[in-house]
PDB file of all heavy atoms in Angstrom:
ATOM      1  N   ILE A  52      17.458  50.026 -30.734  1.00 96.00           N
ATOM      2  CA  ILE A  52      16.295  49.930 -29.875  1.00 96.00           C
ATOM      3  C   ILE A  52      15.218  50.803 -30.515  1.00 96.00           C
ATOM      4  O   ILE A  52      15.414  51.941 -30.885  1.00 96.00           O
ATOM      5  CB  ILE A  52      16.597  50.440 -28.486  1.00 96.00           C
ATOM      6  CG1 ILE A  52      17.745  49.628 -27.837  1.00 96.00           C
ATOM      7  CG2 ILE A  52      15.353  50.417 -27.556  1.00 96.00           C
ATOM      8  CD1 ILE A  52      18.304  50.174 -26.566  1.00 96.00           C
ATOM      9  N   GLY A  53      14.008  50.243 -30.661  1.00 96.00           N
ATOM     10  CA  GLY A  53      12.899  51.007 -31.262  1.00 96.00           C
ATOM     11  C   GLY A  53      11.614  50.800 -30.528  1.00 96.00           C
ATOM     12  O   GLY A  53      11.324  49.727 -30.025  1.00 96.00           O
ATOM     13  N   PHE A  54      10.792  51.875 -30.469  1.00 96.00           N
ATOM     14  CA  PHE A  54       9.483  51.775 -29.836  1.00 96.00           C
ATOM     15  C   PHE A  54       8.578  52.841 -30.403  1.00 96.00           C
ATOM     16  O   PHE A  54       9.012  53.734 -31.112  1.00 96.00           O
ATOM     17  CB  PHE A  54       9.623  51.963 -28.288  1.00 96.00           C
ATOM     18  CG  PHE A  54      10.016  53.351 -27.845  1.00 96.00           C
ATOM     19  CD1 PHE A  54       9.082  54.264 -27.365  1.00 96.00           C
ATOM     20  CD2 PHE A  54      11.345  53.728 -27.871  1.00 96.00           C
ATOM     21  CE1 PHE A  54       9.487  55.511 -26.931  1.00 96.00           C
ATOM     22  CE2 PHE A  54      11.756  54.960 -27.462  1.00 96.00           C
ATOM     23  CZ  PHE A  54      10.807  55.897 -26.995  1.00 96.00           C
ATOM     24  N   VAL A  55       7.283  52.733 -30.130  1.00 94.00           N
ATOM     25  CA  VAL A  55       6.325  53.743 -30.521  1.00 94.00           C
ATOM     26  C   VAL A  55       5.933  54.537 -29.284  1.00 94.00           C
ATOM     27  O   VAL A  55       5.511  53.971 -28.273  1.00 94.00           O
ATOM     28  CB  VAL A  55       5.065  53.142 -31.193  1.00 94.00           C
ATOM     29  CG1 VAL A  55       4.005  54.209 -31.464  1.00 94.00           C
ATOM     30  CG2 VAL A  55       5.443  52.441 -32.480  1.00 94.00           C
ATOM     31  N   CYS A  56       6.085  55.842 -29.323  1.00 92.00           N
ATOM     32  CA  CYS A  56       5.806  56.711 -28.165  1.00 92.00           C
ATOM     33  C   CYS A  56       4.310  56.677 -27.866  1.00 92.00           C
ATOM     34  O   CYS A  56       3.469  56.936 -28.755  1.00 92.00           O
ATOM     35  CB  CYS A  56       6.248  58.124 -28.493  1.00 92.00           C
ATOM     36  SG  CYS A  56       5.797  59.319 -27.178  1.00 92.00           S
ATOM     37  N   PRO A  57       3.916  56.382 -26.626  1.00 89.00           N
ATOM     38  CA  PRO A  57       2.479  56.375 -26.252  1.00 89.00           C
ATOM     39  C   PRO A  57       1.857  57.762 -26.343  1.00 89.00           C
ATOM     40  O   PRO A  57       0.623  57.890 -26.526  1.00 89.00           O
ATOM     41  CB  PRO A  57       2.483  55.889 -24.798  1.00 89.00           C
ATOM     42  CG  PRO A  57       3.834  55.241 -24.612  1.00 89.00           C
ATOM     43  CD  PRO A  57       4.750  55.949 -25.516  1.00 89.00           C
ATOM     44  N   ARG A  60       2.670  58.997 -30.566  1.00 87.00           N
ATOM     45  CA  ARG A  60       2.427  57.875 -31.466  1.00 87.00           C
ATOM     46  C   ARG A  60       3.428  57.810 -32.626  1.00 87.00           C
ATOM     47  O   ARG A  60       3.188  57.159 -33.653  1.00 87.00           O
ATOM     48  CB  ARG A  60       0.998  57.932 -32.069  1.00 87.00           C
ATOM     49  CG  ARG A  60      -0.086  58.125 -31.080  1.00 87.00           C
ATOM     50  CD  ARG A  60      -0.308  56.942 -30.131  1.00 87.00           C
ATOM     51  NE  ARG A  60      -0.922  55.828 -30.799  1.00 87.00           N
ATOM     52  CZ  ARG A  60      -1.377  54.758 -30.187  1.00 87.00           C
ATOM     53  NH1 ARG A  60      -1.259  54.662 -28.840  1.00 87.00           N
ATOM     54  NH2 ARG A  60      -1.944  53.750 -30.821  1.00 87.00           N
ATOM     55  N   ASN A  61       4.571  58.461 -32.478  1.00 91.00           N
ATOM     56  CA  ASN A  61       5.652  58.360 -33.481  1.00 91.00           C
ATOM     57  C   ASN A  61       6.619  57.275 -33.119  1.00 91.00           C
ATOM     58  O   ASN A  61       6.812  56.979 -31.926  1.00 91.00           O
ATOM     59  CB  ASN A  61       6.389  59.710 -33.593  1.00 91.00           C
ATOM     60  CG  ASN A  61       5.545  60.766 -34.287  1.00 91.00           C
ATOM     61  OD1 ASN A  61       4.770  60.474 -35.201  1.00 91.00           O
ATOM     62  ND2 ASN A  61       5.695  61.982 -33.851  1.00 91.00           N
ATOM     63  N   SER A  62       7.247  56.675 -34.130  1.00 93.00           N
ATOM     64  CA  SER A  62       8.250  55.676 -33.908  1.00 93.00           C
ATOM     65  C   SER A  62       9.563  56.329 -33.524  1.00 93.00           C
ATOM     66  O   SER A  62       9.938  57.395 -34.053  1.00 93.00           O
ATOM     67  CB  SER A  62       8.472  54.814 -35.158  1.00 93.00           C
ATOM     68  OG  SER A  62       7.362  53.983 -35.431  1.00 93.00           O
ATOM     69  N   VAL A  63      10.260  55.708 -32.609  1.00 94.00           N
ATOM     70  CA  VAL A  63      11.545  56.209 -32.136  1.00 94.00           C
ATOM     71  C   VAL A  63      12.554  55.067 -32.225  1.00 94.00           C
ATOM     72  O   VAL A  63      12.246  53.935 -31.785  1.00 94.00           O
ATOM     73  CB  VAL A  63      11.488  56.689 -30.689  1.00 94.00           C
ATOM     74  CG1 VAL A  63      12.827  57.264 -30.230  1.00 94.00           C
ATOM     75  CG2 VAL A  63      10.376  57.742 -30.523  1.00 94.00           C
ATOM     76  N   ALA A  64      13.723  55.322 -32.785  1.00 95.00           N
ATOM     77  CA  ALA A  64      14.767  54.260 -32.896  1.00 95.00           C
ATOM     78  C   ALA A  64      16.140  54.893 -32.717  1.00 95.00           C
ATOM     79  O   ALA A  64      16.383  56.013 -33.183  1.00 95.00           O
ATOM     80  CB  ALA A  64      14.674  53.542 -34.231  1.00 95.00           C
ATOM     81  N   ALA A  65      16.995  54.169 -32.020  1.00 93.00           N
ATOM     82  CA  ALA A  65      18.348  54.650 -31.806  1.00 93.00           C
ATOM     83  C   ALA A  65      19.299  53.457 -31.673  1.00 93.00           C
ATOM     84  O   ALA A  65      18.908  52.417 -31.173  1.00 93.00           O
ATOM     85  CB  ALA A  65      18.456  55.523 -30.566  1.00 93.00           C
ATOM     86  N   LEU A  79      16.753  56.585 -23.663  1.00 93.00           N
ATOM     87  CA  LEU A  79      16.505  56.836 -25.083  1.00 93.00           C
ATOM     88  C   LEU A  79      15.161  57.520 -25.209  1.00 93.00           C
ATOM     89  O   LEU A  79      14.096  56.851 -25.322  1.00 93.00           O
ATOM     90  CB  LEU A  79      16.537  55.496 -25.860  1.00 93.00           C
ATOM     91  CG  LEU A  79      17.822  54.678 -25.773  1.00 93.00           C
ATOM     92  CD1 LEU A  79      17.650  53.344 -26.435  1.00 93.00           C
ATOM     93  CD2 LEU A  79      18.969  55.436 -26.361  1.00 93.00           C
ATOM     94  N   PRO A  80      15.094  58.824 -25.169  1.00 93.00           N
ATOM     95  CA  PRO A  80      13.825  59.558 -25.153  1.00 93.00           C
ATOM     96  C   PRO A  80      13.230  59.754 -26.520  1.00 93.00           C
ATOM     97  O   PRO A  80      13.920  59.809 -27.531  1.00 93.00           O
ATOM     98  CB  PRO A  80      14.216  60.890 -24.530  1.00 93.00           C
ATOM     99  CG  PRO A  80      15.618  61.098 -24.968  1.00 93.00           C
ATOM    100  CD  PRO A  80      16.274  59.743 -25.039  1.00 93.00           C
ATOM    101  N   CYS A  81      11.904  59.882 -26.547  1.00 92.00           N
ATOM    102  CA  CYS A  81      11.240  60.360 -27.724  1.00 92.00           C
ATOM    103  C   CYS A  81      11.482  61.882 -27.863  1.00 92.00           C
ATOM    104  O   CYS A  81      11.556  62.613 -26.841  1.00 92.00           O
ATOM    105  CB  CYS A  81       9.712  60.094 -27.630  1.00 92.00           C
ATOM    106  SG  CYS A  81       8.754  60.746 -29.029  1.00 92.00           S
ATOM    107  N   PRO A  82      11.622  62.396 -29.090  1.00 91.00           N
ATOM    108  CA  PRO A  82      11.836  63.857 -29.226  1.00 91.00           C
ATOM    109  C   PRO A  82      10.730  64.704 -28.608  1.00 91.00           C
ATOM    110  O   PRO A  82      10.946  65.863 -28.271  1.00 91.00           O
ATOM    111  CB  PRO A  82      11.841  64.008 -30.761  1.00 91.00           C
ATOM    112  CG  PRO A  82      12.361  62.716 -31.271  1.00 91.00           C
ATOM    113  CD  PRO A  82      11.779  61.694 -30.368  1.00 91.00           C
ATOM    114  N   LYS A  85       8.006  63.058 -23.867  1.00 88.00           N
ATOM    115  CA  LYS A  85       7.003  62.520 -22.934  1.00 88.00           C
ATOM    116  C   LYS A  85       7.138  61.028 -22.673  1.00 88.00           C
ATOM    117  O   LYS A  85       6.401  60.463 -21.902  1.00 88.00           O
ATOM    118  CB  LYS A  85       5.614  62.788 -23.529  1.00 88.00           C
ATOM    119  CG  LYS A  85       5.287  64.289 -23.579  1.00 88.00           C
ATOM    120  CD  LYS A  85       3.858  64.537 -24.101  1.00 88.00           C
ATOM    121  CE  LYS A  85       3.533  66.010 -24.113  1.00 88.00           C
ATOM    122  NZ  LYS A  85       2.188  66.236 -24.670  1.00 88.00           N
ATOM    123  N   SER A  86       8.147  60.371 -23.312  1.00 91.00           N
ATOM    124  CA  SER A  86       8.362  58.966 -23.012  1.00 91.00           C
ATOM    125  C   SER A  86       9.817  58.627 -23.360  1.00 91.00           C
ATOM    126  O   SER A  86      10.464  59.326 -24.139  1.00 91.00           O
ATOM    127  CB  SER A  86       7.415  58.060 -23.809  1.00 91.00           C
ATOM    128  OG  SER A  86       7.753  58.066 -25.160  1.00 91.00           O
ATOM    129  N   SER A  87      10.332  57.547 -22.782  1.00 93.00           N
ATOM    130  CA  SER A  87      11.674  57.103 -23.070  1.00 93.00           C
ATOM    131  C   SER A  87      11.875  55.647 -22.640  1.00 93.00           C
ATOM    132  O   SER A  87      11.199  55.178 -21.716  1.00 93.00           O
ATOM    133  CB  SER A  87      12.715  57.989 -22.376  1.00 93.00           C
ATOM    134  OG  SER A  87      12.579  57.942 -20.953  1.00 93.00           O
ATOM    135  N   VAL A  88      12.789  54.986 -23.322  1.00 94.00           N
ATOM    136  CA  VAL A  88      13.225  53.643 -22.883  1.00 94.00           C
ATOM    137  C   VAL A  88      14.404  53.847 -21.954  1.00 94.00           C
ATOM    138  O   VAL A  88      15.376  54.571 -22.329  1.00 94.00           O
ATOM    139  CB  VAL A  88      13.633  52.789 -24.074  1.00 94.00           C
ATOM    140  CG1 VAL A  88      14.340  51.492 -23.606  1.00 94.00           C
ATOM    141  CG2 VAL A  88      12.388  52.409 -24.887  1.00 94.00           C
ATOM    142  N   LEU A  89      14.398  53.223 -20.806  1.00 93.00           N
ATOM    143  CA  LEU A  89      15.494  53.304 -19.869  1.00 93.00           C
ATOM    144  C   LEU A  89      16.176  51.952 -19.785  1.00 93.00           C
ATOM    145  O   LEU A  89      15.527  50.905 -19.759  1.00 93.00           O
ATOM    146  CB  LEU A  89      14.965  53.669 -18.468  1.00 93.00           C
ATOM    147  CG  LEU A  89      14.153  54.945 -18.390  1.00 93.00           C
ATOM    148  CD1 LEU A  89      13.617  55.156 -16.969  1.00 93.00           C
ATOM    149  CD2 LEU A  89      14.944  56.168 -18.815  1.00 93.00           C
ATOM    150  N   VAL A 102      10.255  50.007 -20.452  1.00 93.00           N
ATOM    151  CA  VAL A 102       9.740  50.310 -21.783  1.00 93.00           C
ATOM    152  C   VAL A 102       8.355  50.956 -21.715  1.00 93.00           C
ATOM    153  O   VAL A 102       7.450  50.411 -21.070  1.00 93.00           O
ATOM    154  CB  VAL A 102       9.670  49.006 -22.592  1.00 93.00           C
ATOM    155  CG1 VAL A 102       9.079  49.269 -23.988  1.00 93.00           C
ATOM    156  CG2 VAL A 102      11.007  48.347 -22.714  1.00 93.00           C
ATOM    157  N   PRO A 103       8.153  52.096 -22.401  1.00 93.00           N
ATOM    158  CA  PRO A 103       6.804  52.690 -22.474  1.00 93.00           C
ATOM    159  C   PRO A 103       5.960  51.878 -23.442  1.00 93.00           C
ATOM    160  O   PRO A 103       6.444  51.527 -24.542  1.00 93.00           O
ATOM    161  CB  PRO A 103       7.084  54.092 -22.976  1.00 93.00           C
ATOM    162  CG  PRO A 103       8.327  53.981 -23.758  1.00 93.00           C
ATOM    163  CD  PRO A 103       9.164  52.908 -23.084  1.00 93.00           C
ATOM    164  N   CYS A 104       4.706  51.602 -23.106  1.00 92.00           N
ATOM    165  CA  CYS A 104       3.870  50.768 -23.929  1.00 92.00           C
ATOM    166  C   CYS A 104       2.747  51.598 -24.587  1.00 92.00           C
ATOM    167  O   CYS A 104       1.894  52.135 -23.874  1.00 92.00           O
ATOM    168  CB  CYS A 104       3.266  49.618 -23.127  1.00 92.00           C
ATOM    169  SG  CYS A 104       2.191  48.545 -24.056  1.00 92.00           S
ATOM    170  N   ALA A 105       2.754  51.697 -25.895  1.00 91.00           N
ATOM    171  CA  ALA A 105       1.736  52.472 -26.599  1.00 91.00           C
ATOM    172  C   ALA A 105       0.402  51.720 -26.668  1.00 91.00           C
ATOM    173  O   ALA A 105      -0.602  52.300 -26.974  1.00 91.00           O
ATOM    174  CB  ALA A 105       2.201  52.783 -28.018  1.00 91.00           C
ATOM    175  N   ASP A 136       3.316  44.211 -29.236  1.00 91.00           N
ATOM    176  CA  ASP A 136       4.684  44.615 -28.954  1.00 91.00           C
ATOM    177  C   ASP A 136       4.767  46.026 -28.426  1.00 91.00           C
ATOM    178  O   ASP A 136       3.985  46.914 -28.873  1.00 91.00           O
ATOM    179  CB  ASP A 136       5.578  44.486 -30.204  1.00 91.00           C
ATOM    180  CG  ASP A 136       5.848  43.032 -30.582  1.00 91.00           C
ATOM    181  OD1 ASP A 136       5.664  42.156 -29.707  1.00 91.00           O
ATOM    182  OD2 ASP A 136       6.165  42.773 -31.761  1.00 91.00           O
ATOM    183  N   SER A 137       5.725  46.270 -27.548  1.00 92.00           N
ATOM    184  CA  SER A 137       5.939  47.595 -27.042  1.00 92.00           C
ATOM    185  C   SER A 137       7.331  48.144 -27.378  1.00 92.00           C
ATOM    186  O   SER A 137       7.536  49.355 -27.383  1.00 92.00           O
ATOM    187  CB  SER A 137       5.779  47.635 -25.506  1.00 92.00           C
ATOM    188  OG  SER A 137       6.634  46.702 -24.886  1.00 92.00           O
ATOM    189  N   CYS A 138       8.273  47.216 -27.682  1.00 95.00           N
ATOM    190  CA  CYS A 138       9.656  47.695 -27.973  1.00 95.00           C
ATOM    191  C   CYS A 138      10.374  46.590 -28.740  1.00 95.00           C
ATOM    192  O   CYS A 138      10.064  45.394 -28.598  1.00 95.00           O
ATOM    193  CB  CYS A 138      10.366  47.989 -26.668  1.00 95.00           C
ATOM    194  SG  CYS A 138      12.082  48.545 -26.804  1.00 95.00           S
ATOM    195  N   TYR A 139      11.351  46.999 -29.532  1.00 96.00           N
ATOM    196  CA  TYR A 139      12.204  46.048 -30.246  1.00 96.00           C
ATOM    197  C   TYR A 139      13.667  46.340 -29.965  1.00 96.00           C
ATOM    198  O   TYR A 139      14.083  47.483 -29.859  1.00 96.00           O
ATOM    199  CB  TYR A 139      11.981  46.124 -31.777  1.00 96.00           C
ATOM    200  CG  TYR A 139      10.564  45.797 -32.212  1.00 96.00           C
ATOM    201  CD1 TYR A 139       9.719  46.779 -32.648  1.00 96.00           C
ATOM    202  CD2 TYR A 139      10.124  44.473 -32.167  1.00 96.00           C
ATOM    203  CE1 TYR A 139       8.411  46.497 -33.037  1.00 96.00           C
ATOM    204  CE2 TYR A 139       8.812  44.170 -32.559  1.00 96.00           C
ATOM    205  CZ  TYR A 139       7.986  45.193 -32.977  1.00 96.00           C
ATOM    206  OH  TYR A 139       6.690  44.864 -33.365  1.00 96.00           O
ATOM    207  N   VAL A 140      14.459  45.267 -29.902  1.00 96.00           N
ATOM    208  CA  VAL A 140      15.904  45.407 -29.741  1.00 96.00           C
ATOM    209  C   VAL A 140      16.550  44.395 -30.696  1.00 96.00           C
ATOM    210  O   VAL A 140      16.164  43.208 -30.750  1.00 96.00           O
ATOM    211  CB  VAL A 140      16.353  45.082 -28.304  1.00 96.00           C
ATOM    212  CG1 VAL A 140      17.864  45.145 -28.215  1.00 96.00           C
ATOM    213  CG2 VAL A 140      15.733  46.024 -27.303  1.00 96.00           C
ATOM    214  N   VAL A 146      14.806  45.971 -36.829  1.00 96.00           N
ATOM    215  CA  VAL A 146      14.043  46.888 -36.000  1.00 96.00           C
ATOM    216  C   VAL A 146      13.254  47.859 -36.871  1.00 96.00           C
ATOM    217  O   VAL A 146      12.057  48.078 -36.656  1.00 96.00           O
ATOM    218  CB  VAL A 146      14.921  47.640 -35.013  1.00 96.00           C
ATOM    219  CG1 VAL A 146      14.151  48.744 -34.302  1.00 96.00           C
ATOM    220  CG2 VAL A 146      15.530  46.662 -33.958  1.00 96.00           C
ATOM    221  N   LEU A 150       8.986  48.194 -36.923  1.00 94.00           N
ATOM    222  CA  LEU A 150       8.283  49.374 -36.396  1.00 94.00           C
ATOM    223  C   LEU A 150       7.039  49.754 -37.241  1.00 94.00           C
ATOM    224  O   LEU A 150       6.001  50.059 -36.638  1.00 94.00           O
ATOM    225  CB  LEU A 150       9.227  50.566 -36.243  1.00 94.00           C
ATOM    226  CG  LEU A 150      10.184  50.496 -35.046  1.00 94.00           C
ATOM    227  CD1 LEU A 150      11.205  51.624 -35.115  1.00 94.00           C
ATOM    228  CD2 LEU A 150       9.377  50.562 -33.747  1.00 94.00           C
ATOM    229  N   LEU A 153       4.251  47.559 -36.276  1.00 92.00           N
ATOM    230  CA  LEU A 153       3.719  47.864 -34.952  1.00 92.00           C
ATOM    231  C   LEU A 153       2.769  49.075 -35.029  1.00 92.00           C
ATOM    232  O   LEU A 153       1.723  49.121 -34.368  1.00 92.00           O
ATOM    233  CB  LEU A 153       4.868  48.128 -33.970  1.00 92.00           C
ATOM    234  CG  LEU A 153       4.469  48.598 -32.551  1.00 92.00           C
ATOM    235  CD1 LEU A 153       3.537  47.582 -31.926  1.00 92.00           C
ATOM    236  CD2 LEU A 153       5.708  48.792 -31.707  1.00 92.00           C
ATOM    237  N   GLU A 154       3.134  50.063 -35.814  1.00 91.00           N
ATOM    238  CA  GLU A 154       2.273  51.221 -35.994  1.00 91.00           C
ATOM    239  C   GLU A 154       0.912  50.804 -36.565  1.00 91.00           C
ATOM    240  O   GLU A 154      -0.144  51.282 -36.110  1.00 91.00           O
ATOM    241  CB  GLU A 154       2.944  52.218 -36.910  1.00 91.00           C
ATOM    242  CG  GLU A 154       4.136  52.944 -36.321  1.00 91.00           C
ATOM    243  CD  GLU A 154       4.788  53.909 -37.282  1.00 91.00           C
ATOM    244  OE1 GLU A 154       4.289  54.018 -38.450  1.00 91.00           O
ATOM    245  OE2 GLU A 154       5.753  54.589 -36.900  1.00 91.00           O
ATOM    246  N   LEU A 157      -1.128  49.133 -33.805  1.00 88.00           N
ATOM    247  CA  LEU A 157      -1.626  50.101 -32.846  1.00 88.00           C
ATOM    248  C   LEU A 157      -2.762  50.924 -33.452  1.00 88.00           C
ATOM    249  O   LEU A 157      -3.706  51.308 -32.721  1.00 88.00           O
ATOM    250  CB  LEU A 157      -0.468  51.025 -32.390  1.00 88.00           C
ATOM    251  CG  LEU A 157       0.549  50.323 -31.486  1.00 88.00           C
ATOM    252  CD1 LEU A 157       1.798  51.217 -31.328  1.00 88.00           C
ATOM    253  CD2 LEU A 157       0.003  49.936 -30.151  1.00 88.00           C
TER     254      LEU A 157
END
Side-chain angles (χ1 to χ4, degrees):
I52 301 169
F54 68 101
V55 174
C56 174
R60 312 292 286 191
N61 287 325
S62 291
V63 182
L79 302 174
C81 176
K85 295 182 179 179
S86 71
S87 62
V88 169
L89 306 176
V102 178
C104 180
D136 289 338
S137 56
C138 180
Y139 298 108
V140 178
V146 171
L150 283 172
L153 176 56
E154 290 179 358
L157 291 168

